[in-house]
Structures are given as C-alpha cells and as structure tokens.
Amino acid sequence: QRRARRASCVLQHAMSALLRAFLLALAAASGAAFISSSPPPLFATYAASAASTRTATSMGGFGKAAAAQKDKAPKFLGKKSIIKQMKSYIALQKAQEEGMVTRDVYVKAVLRDETVNEKFWFVGKVAHRAGFSTDQALGMQKRVVLEHAKLLQGELKLAKSLHMWHAPGNTELSVAQYQQTLTPLDAAAASSLEESAEAEAMRDGAVGFEPEQYQEEKDGFFVRLKEDGTPRDGKEGGLSPKFVSPQELEMMGESVQNPSNMATDLDGLVESLDKGKKFR
C-alpha cells in the first residue's frame, strides 16, 4: 500500500508539472499573438461601452466624477530649483512691471551652543509682482533661499536653525553703515497663501530669487547687528562715508585683488574705509 500511494503521488506530481508546462506554453503563445496584434473587436467594443456607461451613470446622479487634483507647490529639486527661481528674478527685473518689488535678503543663524550671534549674512535678492508681500515671496521660496545660504557658508549649514531677514533692494552699503535696519520674516504672513495659489505664483514666475554667488566662504560678507536687526550700541548714528582721492582708490583696488586683505564682513569694510585704512 505504501508503494502504491508513493507511486500515485509521483504520478500526480508528474501530471501537474506537465499541465503547468502546457499552460505556460499556451499562455506564452496566446500572449505573443495578443501583443503582436491589435485587441479583438469585441474587447474594443466592450471598453467603449463600459466607458459610456460610466459617463452616463455619473451624469445621471448615481456616481461622482473624479475630483480635479489641486495644484501643489513644486518640490525643491536642488540646483534645478535655484536656477529656475534665478531665471524668474531676471525676467521680473527685465519686465519692470508696475508695483514690482525687490528686496535684499539676509540669513541669521541660531547657533547650536546657544551663544549670541550678531552676524546677518547677505545671501541674495528677492523680487515679486504686485499683489504679493515680501513675506509671501520669501515663504514660497524659503527652501531655495535657505538651501542656497547653506551652500554659501558652513556656519549656516551647521546652525541649529536659520532665520530670514530682508531690507529694501540694493541697500547693502546703507545696512553696513548702520543707516538701514533689517526686517524679520513674518512667519504667519509667509505661510498665508493657499498651496494652490503658491503653485500658480511659482509656475507663472510671480516671484524670483537672485542668489549671492562666490567661490570661497571668505569672499562672503555679513553685517553685525543686534538681535532685532537694528544697529549695535554706539552705532545708532550710522557711519559717515569717507571720500578718497583717485590714488587712494587705486590702492584700495589693489588690496581688493589680494584675497588675504579682503574684508569678510561688510560693516568691517566700511569701518576700515571710515578710518582711512585698507581692507583687512
């Protein structure tokens, strides 16, 4: 009996294997025929009929058509996103539409050791069309601005967190002379737009960012201010510009060409000018 059962099991396994092989060969043959030819007319008719039935059912009130997907704000794609926003900035500057706004952008690091940090790094410029606030424009481009800032300075890359500040466009020198204060980003205003509105603005080039660019960290600059973006104590009156002769200007030009003499912070540069010294 054991031998009989064993022989029966072997026979069943063999038959199963043969059947599977036959089915696989049949499926391969029919699949190849189906791929190499267009769908049978019956299949096409059924598909069309099913589509029309679904449409009629939805229109008759027995079903709902799929809701249109809401626009989503574009994802940050690294360098590609930065370049895209730079192109938008250039286009906005060329168009010079009425009400277009340009602002200088600064980033301040909150250090991990919680020590006081007076450095406000200049990282670029933001532009936006009328109808948007600077806070909204920075909010839409927050990732672009901050990721670029971290590429510029290791201090910003290693920070516990980063805060964005802004000032009127092309006022870097006034800021360094303590004649122009900085404005902190209003977080509530920065996130006040619906995601679909942000997506539309980004797609239409309504906001743009011009990144500050240099090869080495020492070529960047920052200004030292109090926590609230106002001049430090003793600097409230601002610094008076110093007028120099053509010879002095030429000497300063030569020192600029020497990286070892280049000032790393803009207010230090202005102070050295005010005292009649070369760039340090």
Side-chain angles (χ1 to χ4, degrees), residues 38-194:
S38 57
L42 181 61
F43 177 81
T45 303
Y46 172 76
S49 175
S52 61
T53 302
R54 286 195 298 269
T55 304
T57 303
S58 298
M59 293 180 65
F62 294 99
K64 291 185 178 180
Q69 286 189 343
K70 293 179 66 177
D71 285 343
K72 292 185 178 181
K75 294 182 179 179
F76 178 72
L77 302 175
K79 183 179 179 181
K80 184 177 179 180
S81 296
I82 295 175
I83 292 176
K84 178 181 180 297
Q85 293 313 114
M86 182 170 65
K87 290 180 178 178
S88 295
Y89 178 93
I90 294 172
L92 287 168
Q93 295 297 329
K94 285 183 177 179
Q96 286 295 314
E97 297 178 7
E98 184 177 357
M100 191 271 290
V101 175
T102 301
R103 301 278 291 183
D104 293 342
V105 184
Y106 294 79
V107 170
K108 181 176 182 292
V110 176
L111 304 179
R112 293 186 179 276
D113 60 6
E114 303 296 338
T115 56
V116 176
N117 181 24
E118 298 179 329
K119 296 180 183 178
F120 291 75
W121 289 94
F122 175 78
V123 299
K125 298 175 183 289
V126 65
H128 58 85
R129 289 176 181 161
F132 297 97
S133 69
T134 298
D135 291 318
Q136 290 172 335
L138 286 174
M140 284 185 268
Q141 302 177 100
K142 178 179 179 181
R143 188 77 185 275
V144 169
V145 174
L146 296 184
E147 290 298 331
H148 175 69
K150 288 189 283 187
L151 291 175
L152 291 178
Q153 293 293 329
E155 174 186 310
L156 301 179
K157 185 177 182 179
L158 299 175
K160 181 179 180 181
S161 62
L162 299 174
H163 296 167
M164 287 189 287
W165 297 67
H166 53 92
N170 305 317
T171 59
E172 300 96 317
L173 190 57
S174 296
V175 170
Q177 292 175 327
Y178 304 113
Q179 296 171 358
Q180 172 65 56
T181 60
L182 302 184
T183 302
L185 178 73
D186 185 324
S191 58
S192 61
L193 291 176
E194 294 288 339

Side-chain angles (χ1 to χ4, degrees), residues 3-61:
R3 290 179 180 177
R5 284 198 298 270
R6 186 178 303 169
S8 176
C9 289
V10 170
L11 181 61
Q12 287 179 358
H13 283 304
M15 291 297 292
S16 296
L18 287 172
L19 181 60
R20 284 198 299 271
F22 173 74
L23 291 175
L24 286 172
L26 181 62
S30 58
F34 181 79
I35 292 171
S36 62
S37 61
S38 57
L42 181 61
F43 177 81
T45 303
Y46 172 76
S49 175
S52 61
T53 302
R54 286 195 298 269
T55 304
T57 303
S58 298
M59 293 180 65

